Amino acid sequence: MTATPESWERLDVWLWYARVSKTRSLCARAVQDGGFRLNRQPTDKPHAKLRVGDVLTYTWGSEVRVWRVAQLGTRRGPADEARELYEDLSPGL
């Protein structure tokens, strides 16, 4: 999918495509529960607009993950395909 400046995707859908959780509803619930930052701004809205180049920071278990959105998804594919959606900027790498 070629991203245009006006291209965006819902945060919960993108997280599901990136295989953060098993279902889209679990991704939405994780965002609603807090702990997610989009471009350094806290968000608890699963419908937040995510664009290529955005930086997503969140805690997963005891880890802090920082991802830059490399591309928007079109489907929930295999793990190798999901890893192409983001660039991992997490501390300690």
Side-chain angles (χ1 to χ4, degrees), residues 1 3 9 14 52-53 68-73 81 84-86:
M1 175 176 183
E9 191 160 63
W14 187 87
V52 172
R68 178 175 293 123
V69 178
Q71 54 185 304
L72 301 177
E81 187 177 308
E84 294 175 5
L85 297 179
Y86 59 88

Side-chain angles (χ1 to χ4, degrees), residues 15-34:
L15 290 170
W16 183 61
Y17 289 160
R19 304 186 73 82
V20 169
S21 198
K22 208 172 205 178
T23 65
R24 180 177 163 193
S25 61
L26 287 175
C27 290
R29 191 172 312 130
V31 173
Q32 289 172 333
D33 289 345

